[in-house]
Amino acid sequence: MPRARRSNAATKKGNANRGSLRQELLQLKVSDKLNQIKGSRTRADSEASEDEGASDILSHCSSASESVSVAEEGSDAQDFVSAQEQREDKLKEDIDRLTEKSAKTRVTALSSLRLALSSQILADFIAERRVTLTDALERCLKKGKDEEQSLAASVLSLLCIQLGSGSEGEEVFHSLKPILISMLTDSSAAAPVRQSVRAPLCAVQGLLNVTCSSSLSSLQCAAALGLCGFIAATDAENSGAPTSQQGLVCSAIQSWALLLTICPASRIQKTLESHLPRLSGILACESVSLRIAAGESLALLYELARDLDEDFYSEDTDALCVTLKQLATDSNKYRAKTDRRKQRSIFRDVLHYIESSECHEETIKFGLEVMYVDSWARRRTYSSFKEALGSGVRHHLQHNEVLRDIFSLGSPLVLDAAAIKANKISRVEKHMFNSAAFKARTKARNRVRDKRADVF
């Protein structure tokens, strides 16, 4: 009996332990589910908080980028204004240094002014200080040495190009014109100085007559034409002139040709009678530059004569064409290869025009615009401004109202950055275009070089 009681007690005790284990297992399962539910809720809350934080960060970044873009635009404008102020301060210093006692300082200031005036548009800045500049240039022309006088004459021509044909430009030119003429006609002056003075004198005279013909009478134009023509004829008739004088004579012929483009029609006939034989005689001289200047002037004379009379024909035209053919096919070895190439190219164009009245067209590109030089008068005018402005001629053609008026280009174009970027060719497209052009040019040259090609 006692054993039975013990066994019953043991069974009861085992059943109690099993129940407690079941309860513990149920509690563990319930707690796991609760933890899962809590974890999902915390994850959702954390994800929502993360989304809110990300949206806050993005909005902060966008506002920061907007503020940065506005700041960049403001900084660009400030940089432009500061750079403009620095340029003006530098120009003021150069103008002040023109009155220094040291010749070296004045030469350095003139060189800096020439560079600035040829590469920038400074009409408003110069107009306010034209009296000071005129007085300083007059002093440099009168008392300076050769280099200083040459630089002062160049700066004067650029100054008139900046100011244009208005009252301000005419005032500056007419105040210094007597000094330039006296230096030009002084045979004791150095040839480089006379050459540097002659170019601005005739170029500015042509500028003022082209842009405002009413400001100067036809008599003044003819007088200036006679001055340069007389010097060109008397100096160039001697084909054996020294080397130092050849540049002077060449510059005289080119300046005379520039003034010829604005000469009244009543003067053309007299000029043809007096200068055609003289220019034909210069073609026989040894200097390549002189021959080229004379050939271009001859083509210009024929062009002006045919504008008056389409059937113009001179008695010496046949003999002139024979001479031009010889120069267009000149292959003398004692001349430099570059001189021969340049001479042949120009005289082919001159001969072609005299025979057929067709001028070789030249294309000048600047910015997004294109200018066509399709006459000898236009070619002479462009060459004169290119000589005065140097590498800045394209910038002036794009922005200078004086030059745009002379070449009938209209008012300057106003383009934004987007338009400039849209019209800009990428590097890959430029490379492909150059490759295709090189391949086509090589094929064409090989076809001409082939001895088996048919020659008609």
Side-chain angles (χ1 to χ4, degrees), residues 90-99 109 113 125-126 129 132-133 136:
K90 180 67 169 57
L91 288 171
K92 292 177 183 177
E93 292 178 1
D94 292 332
I95 294 173
D96 293 337
R97 286 191 299 169
L98 292 178
T99 58
L113 281 173
F125 178 83
I126 295 299
R129 298 162 180 83
T132 306
L133 257 176

Side-chain angles (χ1 to χ4, degrees), residues 207-226:
L207 169 68
L208 295 176
N209 276 273
V210 170
T211 54
C212 186
S213 58
S214 60
S215 62
L216 294 174
S217 63
S218 301
L219 180 61
Q220 291 174 323
C221 177
L225 175 61

Side-chain angles (χ1 to χ4, degrees), residues 318-361:
D318 294 334
L320 178 61
C321 290
V322 172
T323 305
L324 293 176
K325 286 179 182 178
Q326 293 176 356
L327 293 172
T329 58
D330 186 14
S331 60
N332 291 323
K333 298 296 182 181
Y334 64 87
R335 293 196 180 97
K337 184 182 292 185
T338 54
D339 292 341
R340 294 200 307 268
R341 185 183 298 115
K342 185 177 181 180
Q343 175 182 295
R344 288 196 296 264
S345 175
I346 291 177
F347 279 102
R348 280 198 299 266
D349 295 340
V350 174
L351 177 64
H352 181 67
Y353 179 77
I354 292 178
E355 290 180 341
S356 61
S357 299
E358 294 180 0
C359 182
H360 174 71
E361 187 178 274

Side-chain angles (χ1 to χ4, degrees), residues 114-126:
R114 183 177 65 175
L115 179 61
L117 292 174
S118 63
S119 59
Q120 303 174 33
I121 307 299
L122 303 168
D124 297 334
F125 178 83
I126 295 299

Side-chain angles (χ1 to χ4, degrees), residues 13 25 90 207 213 217 248 261 282 292 310 359 449:
K13 197 173 186 177
L25 289 173
K90 180 67 169 57
L207 169 68
S213 58
S217 63
L248 177 64
T261 60
I282 298 174
I292 290 174
E310 295 182 358
C359 182
R449 289 168 183 164

Side-chain angles (χ1 to χ4, degrees), residues 307-326:
D307 289 341
L308 299 175
D309 183 8
E310 295 182 358
D311 300 329
F312 172 77
Y313 185 84
S314 175
E315 297 177 356
D316 301 328
T317 302
D318 294 334
L320 178 61
C321 290
V322 172
T323 305
L324 293 176
K325 286 179 182 178
Q326 293 176 356

Side-chain angles (χ1 to χ4, degrees), residues 61-75:
C61 291
S62 62
S63 62
S65 63
E66 291 176 358
S67 61
V68 168
S69 63
V70 173
E72 286 179 353
E73 292 177 358
S75 64

